Amino acid sequence: MSVFTPVSREQLEAFLDGFALGRLVDFSGIAGGSENSNFFVATEQGEYVLTLVERGPVADLPFFIELLEHLHQAGLPVPYAITDRQGLALHRLNQRPALLQPRLAGKHVEQPDPAHCQAVGQMLARLHNATASSSLERISDRGLAWMLETGRRLHDRISDSAIHHLVTELLTQIEQWQAHYPGFPRAILHADLFRDNVLFDGHHLSGLIDFYNAHSGWTLYDVAITVNDWCLSAEQQLDPTRTQALLAGYAGIRPFTPFEAKSWPAVLRLAALRFWLSRQLAAERHAGQSGVLVKDPGHFLRVLEQHRNVNIGLPLAL
Ligand SMILES: Nc1ncnc2c1ncn2[C@@H]1O[C@H](COP(=O)(O)OP(=O)(O)O)[C@@H](O)[C@H]1O
Ligand SMILES: N[C@@H](CCOP(=O)(O)O)C(=O)O
């Protein structure tokens, strides 16, 4: 399911009248995605994506628009909001906030190789470099406090005693991080850089999309989120070659600190916990409903289990 709010040709033509993009040629709903209604739109001047924002942090749309404009100015391949004839980026269509963005080239890669992973590591480092000293700021609604509160509520759902123990330890670690805030480098994080949020044209990384989880935070946590999706084997183990390629790609642009290297296993586990929690909540909320895509929470418990022993460390400059 991906178009929650339909748009008619007449409505879209009237909407496009506000832009200097020529007349509508064609449009179609996009099947992928799960949060918003997205449409491919072709006009006489090019190809675009129209997003009607259905849920999520709507009040923070000005932040996302500013972030994407900032990243676009920094030369990153992101879908910035196109302004209309009056200079406005945020619109309304069918009672929904609406954004028109360029359509980025490329396709999702389901089975990445080391070269894909290296490119993803490099792009993530560029994203962090572009935002580390900016004034952009957003607090995540899925930060440490949320993980602690939700983790305490849900960890009894874990039947495997070893994983239960690991999560209990992780919750204690979160309390310690909250009490003595660690000095990790910070920037704006994508915070959801899974394979379905990156586009590749061959081995050229042509797009980063879906920034609706972006927030201020520890850059190492963003690396961990990304590794946890791009670098796993079929058994949810870290694939050494892909993991090393992603980490080397990142470190070549933004070197890791010794403190980050020491904390890497715990942060990898934290990143897995975050998505177990959000998937578990979604699975409970949508239990018994048909037509709703619910991603398997158990996947991230298996990732956590594999991360009991992490034997691929961060590369450090000599
Ligand atoms: N700017 C874009 N350029 C090209 N494809 C896009 C763009 N934005 C979205 N898409 C396509 O639409 C799909 C859904 O977009 P996404 O932002 O992930 O939706 P949702 O917020 O609903 O999860 C993506 O997987 C991608 O294939
Ligand atoms: N990529 C995530 C989905 C996005 O996270 P959410 O917390 O915004 O739902 C996943 O695969 O679980």
Side-chain angles (χ1 to χ4, degrees):
M1 179 64 189
S2 49
V3 173
F4 306 91
T5 303
V7 172
S8 70
R9 190 170 187 97
E10 292 69 34
Q11 286 171 326
L12 189 52
E13 281 170 345
F15 178 77
L16 288 171
D17 274 348
F19 294 81
L21 299 173
R23 275 179 307 190
L24 176 65
V25 175
D26 201 6
F27 76 106
S28 57
I30 302 180
S34 52
E35 293 275 308
N36 300 315
S37 298
N38 293 297
F39 303 83
F40 289 130
V41 174
T43 76
E44 289 170 327
Q45 294 203 3
E47 307 256 346
Y48 306 92
V49 171
L50 170 70
T51 299
L52 302 191
V53 182
E54 303 282 351
R55 54 183 71 84
V58 173
D60 288 342
L61 282 174
F63 164 83
F64 298 120
I65 290 171
E66 195 184 339
L67 170 65
L68 288 165
E69 181 57 30
H70 181 85
L71 295 176
H72 169 58
Q73 295 294 339
L76 273 78
V78 297
Y80 59 95
I82 296 169
T83 51
D84 65 8
R85 296 178 200 271
Q86 293 167 15
L88 296 177
L90 182 55
H91 301 266
R92 279 194 88 75
L93 183 56
N94 275 350
Q95 288 88 51
R96 301 278 183 280
L99 298 168
L100 191 65
Q101 306 168 326
R103 177 173 180 176
L104 303 169
K107 291 196 291 233
H108 301 296
V109 172
E110 279 186 24
Q111 295 188 320
D113 62 27
H116 292 120
C117 291
Q118 184 189 18
V120 169
Q122 289 169 334
M123 190 59 77
L124 188 61
R126 287 180 59 197
L127 191 160
H128 293 160
N129 272 354
T131 56
S133 54
S134 76
S135 58
L136 290 158
E137 189 76 37
R138 177 172 179 256
I139 310 285
S140 173
D141 50 0
R142 291 190 163 160
L144 290 183
W146 173 84
M147 281 192 249
L148 196 54
E149 187 270 317
T150 316
R152 282 184 183 138
R153 205 152 43 81
L154 298 189
H155 81 306
D156 281 342
R157 312 276 205 282
I158 303 172
S159 51
D160 182 296
S161 62
I163 307 178
H164 186 279
H165 180 68
L166 189 67
V167 169
T168 308
E169 277 181 358
L170 201 43
L171 296 177
T172 305
Q173 171 71 79
I174 293 174
E175 283 172 342
Q176 288 167 0
W177 276 327
Q178 284 186 312
H180 306 283
Y181 204 72
F184 294 126
R186 293 171 61 85
I188 300 293
L189 318 184
H190 182 286
D192 188 22
L193 202 60
F194 284 45
R195 284 161 293 164
D196 60 359
N197 286 331
V198 179
L199 298 168
F200 272 95
D201 205 353
H203 275 96
H204 168 67
L205 197 166
S206 52
L208 301 179
I209 60 172
D210 199 351
F211 279 77
Y212 295 109
N213 275 296
H215 65 268
S216 315
W218 309 333
T219 51
L220 186 63
Y221 176 59
D222 219 6
V223 176
I225 289 172
T226 310
V227 163
N228 276 345
D229 190 66
W230 284 84
C231 304
L232 296 186
S233 69
E235 296 76 35
Q236 282 84 35
Q237 288 166 336
L238 289 182
D239 174 88
T241 319
R242 278 184 284 137
T243 307
Q244 280 156 0
L246 195 151
L247 295 176
Y250 187 95
I253 292 175
R254 237 181 111 80
F256 295 110
T257 66
F259 180 56
E260 286 182 306
K262 190 162 148 267
S263 312
W264 174 234
V267 176
L268 260 182
R269 293 193 276 265
L270 182 76
L273 176 71
R274 183 267 184 237
F275 287 96
W276 174 66
L277 291 172
S278 56
R279 286 187 175 192
Q280 184 67 27
L281 282 181
E284 295 184 12
R285 194 177 325 119
H286 299 299
Q289 291 175 16
S290 61
V292 181
L293 174 71
V294 175
K295 296 181 179 170
D296 174 24
H299 168 80
F300 277 107
L301 286 186
R302 295 189 288 279
V303 176
L304 265 173
E305 184 178 15
Q306 294 298 342
H307 287 349
R308 269 188 298 184
N309 299 305
V310 175
N311 44 25
I312 303 175
L314 298 184
L316 288 175
L318 296 175

